[in-house]
Amino acid sequence: GVIDDPTIARAAKILKRKFAKCTKHGWGEVPVKERPASMEIRFRISAEGKAREVRVEPPGFDDVPAFACMARILESLKVDPSTSKEGSYRLPLPHP
């Protein structure tokens, strides 16, 4: 989905560059045939502008080193609450 909030869209663009660096951490112990074709991260922006309820989708891949790295980066996201709207968002994740 396209992020329609310009503040969060800008933050997402920066996050994507950081996520790309996480890919070097790899898949860990997940066999190639069990890796999903696509991954995404869902999160909510609170009224204070902080990322909350960060979830890697599909479920069960939170402990994969690359995706754990991406989730930690997203959890540290803070946007200006006066220029962003609270709500739920999702971002596609790069594959390691």
Side-chain angles (χ1 to χ4, degrees), residues 11-92:
K13 194 172 184 179
I14 294 165
L15 286 173
K16 285 180 183 179
R17 287 195 295 267
K18 291 181 177 182
F19 288 168
K21 292 179 182 174
C22 287
T23 61
K24 70 177 183 283
H25 295 294
W27 281 93
E29 303 295 315
V30 180
V32 174
K33 64 183 185 306
E34 293 178 19
R35 297 174 187 175
S38 65
M39 297 288 299
E40 71 177 15
I41 199 160
R42 293 177 184 260
F43 61 101
R44 191 174 63 77
I45 294 293
S46 69
E48 299 80 40
K50 293 183 179 177
R52 299 279 187 241
E53 300 169 24
V54 175
R55 304 275 181 270
V56 174
E57 298 281 335
F61 294 92
D62 306 75
D63 58 347
V64 169
F67 301 123
C69 172
M70 294 176 205
R72 282 191 303 276
I73 288 170
L74 186 53
E75 286 166 349
S76 68
L77 176 66
K78 177 139 176 40
V79 294
D80 183 347
S82 68
T83 61
S84 60
K85 61 184 177 201
E86 118 179 68
S88 296
Y89 299 92
R90 58 188 200 181
L91 286 173

